[in-house]
Amino acid sequence: MSRREGASLLVVFNAGSSSLKFEVFDCRGGLRSVAQGAIRDIGHAGATLAFGAGSVSVGPVADAGEAAGIALDRLLGGLDGFVLRADDVAATGHRVVHGGDRFSAPVRVTVSVFDALKSLAPLAPLHNPQSLAVMQAVGERFPDVPLVAVFDTGFFHALPETARRYAIPAEWSERLGVRRYGFHGIAHEYLARQLDAAGGARRAVTIHLGQGCSMTALSEGRPVDTSMGFTPLEGLVMGTRSGDVDPGVILYLARQGLAWKELEDGLNRGSGLLGLSDASDDVRELLALESDGHAGARRALAIFCMRIRKYLGAYAAVLGGVDAIAFGGGIGENSAEIRARILADMEWLGVDLDAEANACASGRVGRISSARSAVAVHVFPVDEEPLIAAAALDVLRDATG
């Protein structure tokens, strides 16, 4: 796969469960962002296209594939002063949540790769189908442009066996590939790089909080444990995903007659903050409801924060102490209140939160621990697209020798 002659642009697509971020990079002499945007509220009554100069309504958008078509229409027609020319596109890069055992590094998407990714869709039902829909839409629009898949699971491929292996029959692990894969890898890698740039930390915990939530324990910048597992269901309480649940609960519910599709939908789309509150999966809405005395919102937020605190304590034990903590993701970056609740009374760990710095850091880079804190606590707005673009460019370079 060589770069198309004269083409100098990489277009990155980052599909979430209800959003699609996109960014165009000029790859001459490095990577320079020339245009970016996001389509939000996919699958809801009204979606919006956000870009540098503002946002516009784009009406109902069924899925990420349709969103990709809208994004390309806007880029080709001109977006925020930039006009994309199809002949200038060297490749497109795509975030894929689950790569399974087969895909541990970025790869060009061929027909066989696409089919293999389809087979993994049940392991990440909120995300992999969206990424595949984007690839299909982009491939139809630009049939001669290489597509490169970059995997969230790649960052965790070399997890130590103590974290990777489940205590299940060996045949399930070895023949069926049941193991901890870990997710949000691109985001956690970004947070790890930002910590390194901020001075480094031998023992660190990265906390990615958004619609999906996960944590990672890092030793010398390498992951040694992470909260998500075989699928993105394990670990923290999330927007609509359950996080940790006794496997016996699933067996019990199946014996009560719940079908597998009902179980899958309930755990992925009806649990988490939504299930706990019976009101919303949005932390901003839950905080407002809580202030009005809503018991479900109070319960959901308390359990959400407690689970994060529980994992933070566990990772302190795994690492033998913590030197730095980094928050990222929509909630982690923007909610000073949630960060304060998570880190409340953490002096035993060496955390001394600077309340004023925490209040001012939302939405931007900032250290939120005091000068006397033994643990440096940072907020880093996560920017996955440059990492995806760099990975896609590496695949192009490797193909040309």
Side-chain angles (χ1 to χ4, degrees), residues 170-193:
E171 182 186 13
W172 298 0
S173 298
E174 295 163 6
R175 185 174 68 84
L176 300 177
V178 178
R179 52 157 287 186
R180 181 179 305 282
Y181 286 99
F183 301 91
H184 290 150
I186 300 169
H188 286 291
E189 181 179 0
Y190 181 86
L191 292 172
R193 292 187 182 193

Side-chain angles (χ1 to χ4, degrees), residues 3 35 61 79-80 82 89 114 178 180 230 242 248 272 312 333:
R3 184 186 301 180
V61 177
L79 180 69
D80 202 26
F82 172 81
V89 181
F114 189 85
V178 178
R180 181 179 305 282
F230 180 62
S242 63
L312 184 54
E333 296 163 18

Side-chain angles (χ1 to χ4, degrees), residues 9-375:
L9 299 180
L10 285 167
V11 186
V12 168
F13 294 92
N14 186 340
S17 56
S18 62
S19 66
L20 176 69
K21 293 190 286 185
F22 57 92
E23 190 162 357
V24 183
F25 294 88
D26 189 327
C27 55
R28 291 172 294 190
L31 288 171
R32 179 173 61 89
S33 177
V34 294
Q36 61 182 308
I39 297 176
R40 301 193 174 99
D41 297 320
I42 296 170
H44 297 280
T48 57
L49 167 64
F51 50 94
S55 64
V56 295
S57 173
V58 291
V61 177
D63 60 22
E66 184 178 344
I70 293 170
L72 288 173
D73 286 341
R74 295 288 178 141
L75 287 168
L76 292 165
L79 180 69
D80 202 26
F82 172 81
V83 179
L84 179 70
R85 294 178 62 251
D87 289 344
D88 290 337
V89 181
T92 61
H94 302 261
R95 172 189 171 225
V96 179
V97 165
H98 209 313
D101 265 341
R102 177 174 171 181
F103 302 110
S104 59
V107 64
R108 182 188 178 183
V109 180
T110 61
V111 172
S112 64
V113 168
F114 189 85
D115 288 342
L117 293 176
K118 284 172 64 177
S119 72
L120 294 171
L123 300 183
L126 298 186
H127 295 89
N128 269 34
Q130 301 281 33
S131 298
L132 293 170
V134 172
M135 290 180 198
Q136 188 164 351
V138 172
E140 290 172 356
R141 187 71 65 92
F142 299 146
D144 298 324
V145 174
L147 286 77
V148 178
V150 182
F151 300 96
D152 258 337
T153 46
F155 186 57
F156 301 111
H157 188 73
L159 275 176
E161 187 177 43
T162 48
R164 184 179 70 243
R165 189 88 180 227
Y166 288 113
I168 57 176
E171 182 186 13
W172 298 0
S173 298
E174 295 163 6
R175 185 174 68 84
L176 300 177
V178 178
R179 52 157 287 186
R180 181 179 305 282
Y181 286 99
F183 301 91
H184 290 150
I186 300 169
H188 286 291
E189 181 179 0
Y190 181 86
L191 292 172
R193 292 187 182 193
Q194 293 303 300
L195 281 173
D196 187 59
R202 185 171 63 87
R203 304 166 302 180
V205 177
T206 50
I207 305 175
H208 182 78
L209 305 178
Q211 181 66 10
C213 302
S214 62
M215 294 173 63
T216 294
L218 298 165
S219 177
E220 307 288 357
R222 298 190 178 191
V224 295
D225 203 355
T226 191
S227 59
M228 285 179 166
F230 180 62
T231 75
L233 266 176
E234 188 178 358
L236 306 178
V237 171
M238 301 172 232
T240 63
R241 280 172 273 175
S242 63
D244 291 340
V245 172
D246 178 356
V249 171
I250 312 305
L251 299 176
Y252 170 79
L253 293 174
R255 292 191 186 104
Q256 299 307 303
L258 273 70
W260 291 115
K261 183 66 167 65
E262 189 176 1
L263 289 168
E264 180 182 77
D265 285 347
L267 291 169
N268 278 292
R269 297 176 176 87
S271 297
L273 292 170
L274 178 62
L276 286 167
S277 68
D278 198 27
S280 176
D281 62 349
D282 189 315
V283 162
R284 294 165 298 184
E285 294 179 5
L286 292 172
L287 286 168
L289 288 168
E290 181 189 49
S291 68
D292 291 335
H294 192 288
R298 182 172 61 251
R299 174 176 59 241
L301 292 170
I303 295 173
F304 178 77
C305 293
M306 186 278 288
R307 189 74 60 84
I308 297 165
R309 289 166 60 86
K310 177 179 174 180
Y311 267 88
L312 184 54
Y315 286 166
V318 167
L319 294 167
V322 176
D323 302 311
I325 297 168
F327 284 93
I331 301 168
E333 296 163 18
N334 294 298
S335 182
E337 176 63 25
I338 293 297
R339 294 193 300 263
R341 293 186 190 190
I342 291 167
L343 297 176
D345 305 318
M346 282 278 183
E347 290 83 2
W348 63 269
L349 184 59
V351 174
D352 184 62
L353 188 67
D354 184 322
E356 184 177 353
N358 183 44
C360 294
S362 292
R364 64 182 183 85
V365 174
R367 174 169 170 152
I368 62 173
S369 53
S370 72
R372 62 179 175 272
S373 180
V375 177

